[in-house]
Amino acid sequence: MHTAFFLLLGSSLARFLMRHPGEPRTPWIIALSVSLALLYVLGPTVGARPTAPRRLIWLSLVVAVWVVIVILAPSFAWCAVPLFYTGLRTLPPRAALFLVAVLTAFVVVAQLKLAGGFDPILLFAPPAWAAVAAAVFLYMQRQAARQRELIDDLIRTRRELAATERREGTLAERQRLSMEIHDTLAQGLSSQQMLLQAADRVWDTDPAKARTHVRTAESITELGLAEARRFVHDLAPADLADGGGLTEALRGLAERESGAGLTVRFHAEGGPVPLPDRVSSALLRIAQGALANVREHADATTAALTLTLLDDQVVLDIADDGRGFTPPPATGTTAGVRGHGLPAIRARAHQLGGTLTIESAPGEGAVLSVSIPLEAQ
């Protein structure tokens, strides 16, 4: 529409200059044409909201200048066509239809004036065309509004469903843990309390019996400690639960993922650096997610895990020789690119104050590098 407006304005000015050379009103026509063009260019800068007062003032000035130039030179009447859509986008429906009717009336009068007499096609064609254009535009606006509502409802429903599933999963896990704690740790602590209270009552009168109560409480404490460690073991990644550390966990992961057309190699660099449990757990999960993406999407034959341990940071590189892809922006959606693993990897890295770097191109494989600083852990 913007292009059509300037084409119509330029062709109307050219027609006037060709048909009326040397006219005394020519400077006015040129000045008004330039003013109308400048005003139209200023449209996007005066306010994005359709009801903004500045935009209404801008539209009024554009229409006013157009009316004046049409009175002086009727050949500029067809510049009203893009103005139809400008009014329909800017004004409420009733005001927009009134503006379309006014512009159409000026077009009809201007064309009849140019024709020099009555012509039915000039009288009825512009109103018919304007009515069809306005109806189509308003219909498309309603359809677009309905689509936006449907999309908003879908997004809201998906968010509510995901939140509900998370809540249900969290509640179920809390219930399971509460039952486990009640049946083990809580019962053990209750028994310890009763035994220690019994030992306190007979501490002076029957020391041997008191010591028996204390030893029994000690054995129950050992059982409770073993149960607590089992909880920690169950909640931690299984590969880290054996105590071999992140290096051994990644080596075992590489061995398990090798096979069925994919060979995964592991290499560790740097001296032994003690890593916090949450860093080791996050890097292991990142490696698992990245290799799952490689197997599912990359069509690769080889992949490599490289763990670099430095004094101030730990770096995990996951490389493959697959089909590659165009890396998504650091902020933005990555749906459809290597599944949904990249957002999860980026989120895990950011939670620990780290960064994710992606180097890839179609047909050239990919390298994911996750760097986690150790100073802030």
Side-chain angles (χ1 to χ4, degrees), residues 39-52:
L39 279 174
Y40 195 87
V41 168
L42 292 176
T45 66
V46 296
R49 292 182 300 170
T51 56

Side-chain angles (χ1 to χ4, degrees), residues 4-365:
F5 175 81
F6 289 107
L7 286 176
L8 290 171
L9 181 62
S11 60
S12 299
L13 179 60
R15 182 181 187 277
F16 177 83
L17 295 177
M18 292 171 60
R19 295 290 183 90
H20 307 281
E23 279 272 345
R25 52 184 172 164
T26 298
W28 288 102
I29 297 298
I30 295 175
L32 288 171
S33 299
V34 174
S35 300
L36 184 59
L38 293 176
L39 279 174
Y40 195 87
V41 168
L42 292 176
T45 66
V46 296
R49 292 182 300 170
T51 56
R54 290 187 300 171
R55 193 159 180 81
L56 296 178
I57 295 173
W58 167 80
L59 180 61
S60 301
L61 291 175
V62 170
V63 172
V65 174
W66 176 81
V67 168
V68 173
I69 200 172
V70 169
I71 292 175
L72 295 177
S75 58
F76 285 83
W78 288 111
C79 293
V81 176
L83 295 182
F84 288 167
Y85 291 97
T86 302
L88 289 169
R89 288 197 311 267
T90 305
L91 299 173
R94 291 186 179 180
L97 292 176
F98 175 77
L99 177 62
V100 169
V102 172
L103 296 178
T104 304
F106 269 89
V107 171
V108 171
V109 173
Q111 293 305 305
L112 290 175
K113 184 177 179 181
L114 285 175
F118 178 76
D119 188 342
I121 192 66
L122 296 178
L123 180 62
F124 296 107
W129 188 93
V132 171
V136 170
F137 184 87
L138 293 176
Y139 175 78
M140 292 177 64
Q141 269 194 329
R142 286 195 294 268
Q143 290 296 105
R146 291 172 184 170
Q147 288 182 347
R148 285 193 296 269
E149 292 177 358
L150 290 175
I151 292 173
D152 291 341
D153 289 341
L154 177 61
I155 293 175
R156 183 168 55 253
T157 302
R158 290 180 62 181
R159 289 176 178 172
E160 292 175 353
L161 179 60
T164 300
E165 291 177 348
R166 285 195 298 270
R167 285 195 299 269
E168 290 178 353
T170 302
L171 291 175
E173 183 64 13
R174 286 179 177 177
Q175 184 177 7
R176 185 188 71 82
L177 290 176
S178 66
M179 293 174 63
E180 289 275 351
I181 293 172
H182 176 269
D183 294 339
T184 56
L185 297 181
Q187 294 292 346
L189 291 172
S190 178
S191 299
Q192 293 173 41
Q193 182 183 29
M194 290 187 295
L195 288 168
L196 293 175
Q197 289 175 348
D200 182 65
R201 286 194 297 269
V202 298
W203 190 267
D204 296 326
T205 59
D206 192 350
K209 189 174 183 179
R211 283 194 295 271
T212 301
H213 290 327
V214 172
R215 284 193 293 269
T216 305
E218 181 182 6
S219 64
I220 295 176
T221 301
E222 291 179 357
L223 292 175
L225 182 59
E227 288 293 335
R229 287 171 176 167
R230 183 179 66 83
F231 284 141
V232 175
H233 180 280
D234 292 341
L235 294 176
D239 290 336
L240 296 174
D242 296 334
L246 179 61
T247 301
E248 294 301 321
L250 291 176
R251 182 174 286 110
L253 175 65
E255 293 176 357
R256 289 194 307 274
E257 290 293 332
S258 295
L262 178 64
T263 301
V264 182
R265 295 189 299 269
F266 171 73
H267 177 66
E269 297 180 355
V273 177
L275 297 178
D277 291 341
R278 63 173 188 163
V279 174
S280 299
S281 177
L283 289 177
L284 179 59
R285 295 303 189 201
I286 287 172
Q288 291 172 338
L291 289 180
N293 276 355
V294 170
R295 184 175 294 280
E296 182 177 356
H297 302 289
D299 195 21
T301 58
T302 60
L305 296 177
T306 303
L307 180 66
T308 304
L309 298 170
L310 304 175
D311 293 336
D312 59 344
Q313 67 177 345
V314 55
V315 181
L316 176 64
D317 296 321
I318 306 100
D320 67 77
D321 62 351
R323 67 183 62 179
F325 61 99
T326 301
T331 56
T333 60
T334 54
V337 181
R338 296 233 174 179
H340 299 284
L342 288 180
I345 292 174
R346 194 183 302 278
R348 288 184 187 276
H350 285 179
Q351 287 174 358
L352 297 175
T355 58
L356 169 64
T357 304
I358 304 173
E359 297 180 3
S360 181
E364 298 183 6

